Amino acid sequence: MKYSRPYYKFRFAKANVYKLAITFFLILFTSISSFGQTKEIRYYDGKYTQETALKKFYEFLKVYKDDKLQYNGKLEGNTIKANWKNTLLGSGYVVSNVQYTFYSDRIEIYLLLSTYYKDETNVIMLRPKSVDQQIVKLYKFEEDTHIHDVLAFMNIDKNITKETTSSPKTTTQTKSTTSEQTTETRYYNGRYDSTNGLSSKEVVLQKIKSYIDIKSKAGASFLKLEEKPDFLSGTWTVKSAQGNIVLGLDYVIGDKSLTIKLKYLTVGSQAISKNHPKEELRNLYNVAIENFVLELFKYLEIKDNTSPKQTTTKTAVSNPSGQTIETRTYNGKYTKETALKKINEYLKIVQSENLKFVGGESSPYQIDGIWEQKLGGKDKITVGIRYVIEDKSLSIMIISAVVAKGGDFIMLYPQSTDEANRNAYNNQVKLFVDVPFNFMTINQNIVNTQNNSAATNVNSINTKKTESNSIPVNSYSDMSTEAKSYLEEYRKNPNDLKNYLKNRQSNWEQKGNSPEAIVQICVNMFKEIYAKDKNASFELMMKLPRNIDVKKILPMLTEDERKFIREKSKERLQKYSGSYSTKTN
């Protein structure tokens, strides 16, 4: 309950130099003496994690601070250093210096100094023991306001000892024991040698921060607790229907390697360990390792470097397990510079109100960022992505894909045992990998390191343009399911394409695709079909349902493709105009 402030009849005046000098003296005095300090420790006992306790404190601030009780504080690591100014209902005010430190299992609050500014000449340091009972009451009031009110608001004011604590060294229920920690180390192997005046440690720390930004925009939240040039500690929180999933992580940054320590993992108030008796919780632990430890190694392109003897040559186009990396060659169509320009053009054109790209160049020829696709309300899909522009090829890496729906966060994987999850992931590959390759008209230029002639064969096939409507069925084998299905319908029942495409649109919507995502599906289909049968691709554009915005499709096509549609439209218009003219004459 919020305490009422006592009424003290003192005349208020502005602080002057004399008062400031006395204040400085008092602060200096308390910095070398603990006289008058109050310290309180309370344990969470499963009610909070380090991050949720901090959030609860900020909720307290919203409720309690006002014009008469002013707060000024700063978070440094896991400690808030706060200055409170309590203006009394009569005259004068009290300034208290309070320190709130949030640990994984407890909160420690120190009332370091309380100073009563009675008037411009009377400045009194408050103490818990004084012959003046007015001073004692004021000090008790500051204790209650800045310590006991906080603990009561958090509902832990009675938790003086740990629950289930048998000795001072026993950990709390909410965290895994030290023996349950997971520690993973990967080596740079020359990838992050000193460059541009920065040491390998500085470069890796910058990369980790970039990764945290991307991950945070995808829906997870990171609370930094401590940072040094070679160390970063914090907690990740992901909302779920079972309660917040919280991971405590340390990043130890060496000259030659990076070590990540998962100190604890909780779901709600339940601690999860890698050896948990319940299989579903062990699986959750492994998913957390994959998404917050191994994924960072993948982002840094050192996931497979478990030994310092390994090499990272050409890792930009390697294929680490877990996510997707696709590479296409330019085959003379682009230089490194023109490819970069084309990718930036693509990033500008495809964005809309419901599809946004956040990111930019992390090096001259590498673009990192996330795609955010709104599904409706607060629901969205976020895809962490990287574009690596090489001299003769472009590589696109999907780093992560997350669906935020109904307050739940679902990680998408290509190897998921859930078919719907795999299908949703594959849709992201089509939208954010196939579409840019098609935009650059290099999607067929697949790199095959086992047999280089394979890429050449694909390219030679791609150059054979045909105007024929009767394509052999076996030539569909290299096409996507959507394009293949459309061409089969086009061959068998060309007069019913409108109904066919309406049904396909309904199916896409049922799968949760936004209007922007459907536009990109249509672009992808058009480009595949255009390479096989131009007339069929034109009919696709003509027969699309009216609520699919063709104006958004056209900018994503090449000049040759748009020219073909214009000429074919004129031809069709002249044909109908001629027919109408014949009938009316």
Side-chain angles (χ1 to χ4, degrees), residues 464-473 475-476 479 486-488 490-491 494 528-539 564 568:
K464 296 178 182 178
K465 309 291 183 181
T466 175
E467 295 291 335
S468 172
N469 288 353
S470 55
I471 305 172
V473 175
S475 68
Y476 299 166
M479 303 185 76
Y486 170 83
L487 280 175
E488 288 173 350
Y490 175 72
R491 288 178 64 249
E528 281 192 84
I529 295 164
Y530 180 84
K532 294 285 186 183
D533 185 339
K534 290 184 177 180
N535 288 333
S537 68
F538 176 75
E539 292 302 324
F564 169 75
K568 196 73 177 175

Side-chain angles (χ1 to χ4, degrees), residues 434-446:
D434 291 347
V435 167
F437 284 142
N438 280 324
F439 180 78
M440 297 180 70
T441 64
I442 59 173
N443 199 28
Q444 303 299 317
N445 303 355
I446 299 171

Side-chain angles (χ1 to χ4, degrees), residues 272-274 276-286:
I272 310 298
S273 68
K274 57 186 173 185
H276 199 282
K278 291 185 179 180
E279 182 181 0
E280 62 269 25
L281 295 181
R282 291 198 304 273
N283 291 340
L284 177 61
Y285 187 93
N286 293 330

Side-chain angles (χ1 to χ4, degrees), residues 342 530 554 557-566:
K342 194 70 174 178
Y530 180 84
L554 292 174
L557 306 182
T558 65
E559 181 55 40
D560 287 343
E561 290 164 346
R562 290 195 295 270
K563 183 180 178 182
F564 169 75
I565 292 172
R566 283 196 303 270

Side-chain angles (χ1 to χ4, degrees), residues 68-213:
K68 297 185 183 299
L69 184 61
Q70 298 174 18
Y71 164 85
N72 181 25
K74 182 180 180 183
L75 178 63
E76 296 180 1
N78 64 334
T79 298
I80 291 178
K81 296 179 179 179
N83 290 316
W84 289 95
K85 180 182 178 182
N86 180 10
T87 302
L88 304 176
L89 295 180
S91 298
Y93 59 93
V94 178
V95 174
S96 290
N97 306 108
V98 189
Q99 183 170 296
Y100 304 87
T101 302
F102 298 85
Y103 294 97
S104 60
D105 61 343
R106 67 192 186 280
I107 180 175
E108 295 185 1
I109 307 177
Y110 296 82
L111 177 55
L112 300 171
L113 172 67
S114 283
T115 309
Y116 173 35
Y117 294 91
K118 189 173 181 180
D119 55 40
E120 63 180 9
T121 59
N122 291 317
V123 181
I124 303 168
M125 186 178 70
L126 302 182
R127 304 175 186 178
K129 294 180 180 180
S130 173
V131 293
D132 187 341
Q133 288 305 301
Q134 178 183 312
I135 298 300
V136 174
K137 287 179 182 179
L138 270 177
Y139 186 86
K140 181 64 169 63
F141 177 68
E142 291 300 298
E143 270 190 340
D144 288 341
T145 302
H146 308 310
I147 297 180
H148 298 296
D149 280 7
V150 173
L151 298 174
F153 185 83
M154 296 177 71
N155 198 23
I156 57 173
D157 50 322
K158 296 179 181 179
N159 298 1
I160 297 173
T161 59
K162 291 186 189 180
E163 189 176 300
T164 72
T165 298
S166 58
S167 71
K169 293 184 180 179
T170 303
T171 57
T172 64
Q173 281 184 318
T174 60
K175 304 291 177 279
S176 303
T177 61
T178 303
S179 62
E180 294 290 357
Q181 281 188 356
T182 292
T183 300
E184 293 281 348
T185 299
R186 295 297 184 272
Y187 294 87
Y188 311 144
N189 291 339
R191 171 163 289 279
Y192 296 109
D193 287 343
S194 300
T195 53
N196 298 325
L198 297 177
S199 68
S200 57
K201 287 182 181 180
E202 291 172 317
V203 173
V204 171
L205 181 58
Q206 286 182 0
K207 286 281 186 180
I208 292 173
K209 290 179 178 179
S210 174
Y211 168 81
I212 288 172
D213 287 342

Side-chain angles (χ1 to χ4, degrees), residues 21 88 106 167 203 250 323 325 331 349 363 389 391 428 430 449 455 534 551 554 577:
L88 304 176
R106 67 192 186 280
S167 71
V203 173
D250 285 346
Q323 299 292 9
I325 298 180
N331 285 358
I349 287 175
S363 65
I389 300 96
D391 291 328
Q428 306 315 305
K430 289 177 182 177
T449 56
K534 290 184 177 180
K551 290 180 180 178
L554 292 174
S577 297

